[in-house]
Structures are given as structure tokens and as C-alpha cells.
Amino acid sequence: MTIDSSTPRPELLLPAGDMEKLKTAVRFGADAIYLGSEAFGLRAHAGNFSLDDLRQARAITAAAHVALYLTLNASLRPSEFTALEALLEELKPLDLDAYIVADPGVLTTIRRVDPRRAIHISTQVNSCNPRAAEFWRQSGASRINLARELTLEDIRAFAGQTAIALECFVHGAMCVAHSGRCLLSTALLERSANRGDCAQPCRWNYALVEETRPDERFAIEEDGRGTYIMNSRDLCLIDQLPQLMAAGISSFKVEGRMKSLYYVATTARIYRAAIDRLSADPTAVDPLWRSELEKVSHRPYTTGLLLGDQGAAIHAADTHYIRTHDFVGFVRRDEKGLWVAGRNRFFAGDTLELIGPQMRQQAFVAERITDRDGQPLAAGQPNSELLLDLPQWAEEGDLIRRERPR
């Protein structure tokens, strides 16, 4: 396997569900960030950004030389285009780096209202072949997010048959439906997944009912908790990055605008380290990367359909979250110095671990916990403001975790 040294290293594209997560993604190594406004995105229940928030986000990312992409990938109704045009006019001065779209009507509206803006095509359009990619390129798009149903061989075919830049998901939650185009939420709850309001009924526990005995429910069981028959695993392609880089992928995208601050930091620092090292030496896969990704809350990992018949797996009998570590706090700074914002409970005497960018991490013991006035505390609590004896290299924005008792 070889990676062309003349090819720019792939972009690391991280999610931001709110301003704190955006700052964390920037600090921990993102090249680009995607987020949603208060309309026309596919995460209606994420911490979406108001126009004022977007101005602040643009200032933060511009200062850090990080690209900022806005999701406008919902499927629109005829009556909504007037509001879209008004939003696009308001967004013009922000000079965002690209809009992510799926609806051809949205694309043509952007081309008319804001023709200078770059357009990226969402995975929602199910782009499974190079001819479809060429259609989008000729329509004005500069990048396409490939369908997650593609194999590595399929992806290699794209690079030779289209000039559009290729982006793919490498980590995060997956959808039971083809590239996320699901009608189940609409059918059961009148909440459209294609308009940002998915209730995730695929994650629910179902039972069988025989029509002549409607009061009797028959569990579909694998264990005492039941079987989640439509639930999907989480994607993790950290071990496949060299092949994806060699195949011509120019942007690696992490799913998770509704995930935690700890998730954003962990995925950013690991994929940042991996991209940087593998760009220099594609054989230098570090087992630590996978080990660290196991320490963030996740469903069982899979490589999806990327490797074809070699271990292809999307669904599992039990896809409850695996949690080996708790995110217990993050480091803040003010005029008085460093302090810790508590997120989960921990106790004096617990072994904690500080993690920061550039793969910095160090275990330490919480020998003494106090409030900010120096009064001793037995435990750190959520939403508390604490003082701890941190490792000397601690900086604002670093995170603290604790291994869960086994």
C-alpha cells in the first residue's frame, strides 16, 4: 500500500453540537467543523447555532485557520424556500467555507442566492457510483460524502472516474436505513428523519403480537433485556485509514453533533494523531488509537460494509452502550488560575486521568478535592467548581476521566 506524497493529507472533519464542543474540536485538532443552524439541518434536537452563535463560531474557527461548514441538508417543502433564501442572505457576511446539502432544490437556491459559496453533498443523497458524483460536480458541488454502503473497492473506483473531492464517515453512529433515508420515524410518530426530527425508533425494543391474542406480547429475546432488531453498531475505521488515504479520500468525517464533549475531544485527538502519522508512514498504525477509542461511550464497533464480505456487520443482538470510562470534569481558567468544572461524581483518592491534545495523557490521584475557596470536599459532583492538584502540563480545555469499577 502506498500513499502519494504529493497528495495533501486528508482533512479531519469534526462535529460541533454547541459552542463548547466547537472550541474543543478546534483545540484537539480538527481541520474543519460542521454544525447546524436553527433551520434546515438534520439534527433538530442538537444544540444548533443561532445567527449570533454562527458569527462567534466563524470568528473562533477563522482565528484557528479551521474551516466551518453549515448543514442545510433537510428535504424542504415548497413553502420553505422563502425562509431559506432569507437565511442565505443573512449568512453571506459570515463567509462560511461551505454548505452541506442533499436537496437539489436547496443546491440550486444557493447557486442563485450565494453563487460564491462552496457546496458539499451530504451522505443523504446515497451517492453509490462515480456517475452520480459527476452529476453533482457538474451541478456545482465541489465535494461529496460517499454512501456508507460502499466497499473499499467501490471507493477506489470513484477516485479514477470523477474529479469531485471525496469525503467519507470514519467514526460514529450508523443508521439502519440506506445512507440514513428512513421513513420509520415518520410512519410511527410523524417525525421525519429527512427533516431533522428522527425519534430513532430503530433503537426501541420490539415484541411480536399474534392478531387473535392482541393482549399477549411475545418478546424477541437474546438476553434478559430483549433484542433490538433494527439497532445498528457504531462505525470505527481507525485501522482502515491507510487504505482510505490510498484510495483518494480527502476528508475523514466523524459523526456526533449530539455526542458529549468527551467524545469530541477523544475522536479529535485520536484521528488527528493517526492522520498525521500515517501521512508520513502508512504502515505506522498504533494500537493505542483503537484502545483509546474504546474508552469513549459507544455501541459495539464495526467496519460496516467497507471490507465487503470480510466481517461485514451492521446489526448486533445487543447494541447497548459500552462505557468503560466516565468523563468527570474539564479544566477551566480564569483570573485566579486553573480550576475544574465537574461533570460526573468522583471521590478523593480516586485515580483519574488527564487528557489533552497531541496525545498527552497522564494518570494522577485525586488526593485532595476542595471547592474554589479551599474548603475540603469528599467528592467532585456534576456542575461543581473544584480545585485539584493537576499534572503540571494541564491547560484550559483539557479533560479528566475515570475508569469505571469493573
Side-chain angles (χ1 to χ4, degrees):
M1 180 197 319
T2 59
I3 298 174
D4 188 345
S5 60
S6 65
T7 302
R9 70 180 57 191
E11 170 190 87
L12 176 57
L13 177 53
L14 267 291
D18 59 35
M19 197 66 70
E20 198 70 55
K21 294 172 187 175
L22 179 138
K23 294 175 182 177
T24 298
V26 169
R27 184 167 186 271
F28 278 77
D31 295 309
I33 292 171
Y34 67 100
L35 46 71
S37 71
E38 294 175 329
F40 309 126
L42 284 186
R43 287 292 184 271
H45 303 288
N48 292 312
F49 288 65
S50 67
L51 197 61
D52 286 341
D53 292 335
L54 288 172
R55 291 190 186 98
Q56 183 181 349
R58 171 75 287 184
I60 292 169
T61 53
H65 305 290
V66 171
L68 188 62
Y69 309 144
L70 179 67
T71 58
L72 297 173
N73 53 345
S75 299
L76 268 61
R77 305 281 169 77
S79 61
E80 294 177 308
F81 280 90
T82 299
L84 173 64
E85 292 176 8
L87 175 62
L88 292 173
E89 292 288 355
E90 290 183 306
L91 291 171
K92 275 185 185 180
L94 275 62
D95 199 28
L96 302 180
D97 294 282
Y99 296 140
I100 301 172
V101 309
D103 188 325
V106 174
L107 185 150
T108 57
T109 301
I110 294 170
R111 297 281 292 164
R112 176 171 54 80
V113 176
D114 192 6
R116 293 177 51 253
R117 199 67 51 218
I119 296 174
H120 296 174
I121 301 301
S122 168
T123 191
Q124 294 293 118
V125 305
N126 318 124
S127 295
C128 292
N129 61 79
R131 295 188 184 187
E134 270 297 286
F135 167 82
W136 291 111
R137 187 185 70 82
Q138 293 174 20
S139 298
S142 59
R143 181 190 293 185
I144 191 163
N145 186 297
L146 298 174
R148 278 176 268 198
E149 291 75 25
L150 297 178
T151 66
L152 194 57
E153 285 301 315
D154 294 331
I155 293 172
R156 291 189 181 109
F158 269 80
Q161 298 179 42
T162 178
I164 199 168
L166 305 180
E167 173 186 292
C168 74
F169 279 101
V170 294
H171 198 91
M174 301 182 70
C175 180
V176 66
H178 189 81
S179 289
R181 297 187 66 84
C182 181
L183 299 177
L184 187 60
S185 184
T186 302
L188 295 180
L189 297 162
E190 297 184 0
R191 289 175 53 178
S192 174
N194 301 310
R195 292 172 57 79
D197 201 24
C198 183
Q200 295 192 327
C202 58
R203 307 288 186 191
W204 299 351
N205 200 357
Y206 288 84
L208 293 177
V209 176
E210 197 275 318
E211 65 177 11
T212 64
R213 291 176 286 176
D215 295 331
E216 296 184 32
R217 299 172 70 253
F218 300 91
I220 308 169
E221 292 185 343
E222 289 287 338
D223 59 24
R225 292 176 297 187
T227 297
Y228 294 75
I229 57 176
M230 290 179 286
N231 214 340
S232 56
R233 296 170 179 256
D234 281 357
L235 185 68
C236 180
L237 298 183
I238 191 68
D239 295 328
Q240 285 71 42
L241 291 194
Q243 294 98 314
L244 290 169
M245 293 167 75
I249 297 296
S250 59
S251 179
F252 292 142
K253 188 172 186 177
V254 175
E255 182 275 339
R257 276 189 285 151
M258 298 178 70
K259 299 289 181 66
S260 70
L261 194 72
Y262 174 53
Y263 172 93
V264 173
T266 301
T267 54
R269 67 195 290 264
I270 300 306
Y271 281 94
R272 173 78 279 144
I275 291 170
D276 291 348
R277 182 182 294 188
L278 294 171
S279 294
D281 180 0
T283 67
V285 175
D286 189 339
L288 177 64
W289 301 335
R290 177 64 181 245
S291 174
E292 283 295 300
L293 291 172
E294 294 286 351
K295 296 176 182 178
V296 69
S297 177
H298 65 281
R299 300 180 183 92
Y301 283 138
T302 180
T303 56
L305 302 176
L306 184 75
L307 303 180
D309 294 333
Q310 300 176 36
I314 300 297
H315 307 101
D318 182 359
T319 54
H320 291 79
Y321 278 104
I322 299 168
R323 294 183 175 93
T324 64
H325 289 69
D326 288 326
F327 167 38
V328 299
F330 62 99
V331 180
R332 305 296 296 267
R333 180 185 290 277
D334 59 20
E335 66 280 359
K336 296 181 180 180
L338 295 178
W339 54 280
V340 174
R343 282 298 181 91
N344 279 292
R345 177 178 290 190
F346 64 95
F347 298 92
D350 281 352
T351 297
L352 307 178
E353 190 171 17
L354 184 70
I355 63 172
Q358 292 86 49
M359 296 302 293
R360 293 180 299 164
Q361 55 194 78
Q362 181 178 338
F364 68 100
V365 176
E367 294 181 352
R368 185 169 181 265
I369 307 172
T370 74
D371 63 21
R372 297 195 67 192
D373 294 323
Q375 296 302 310
L377 298 172
Q381 303 284 358
N383 303 314
S384 58
E385 297 183 1
L386 310 167
L387 295 179
L388 291 173
D389 292 327
L390 299 170
Q392 289 186 346
W393 55 264
E395 292 288 347
E396 181 176 16
D398 291 342
L399 276 65
I400 302 169
R401 67 188 177 196
R402 182 190 64 173
E403 185 173 4
R404 286 187 159 196
R406 297 185 180 181

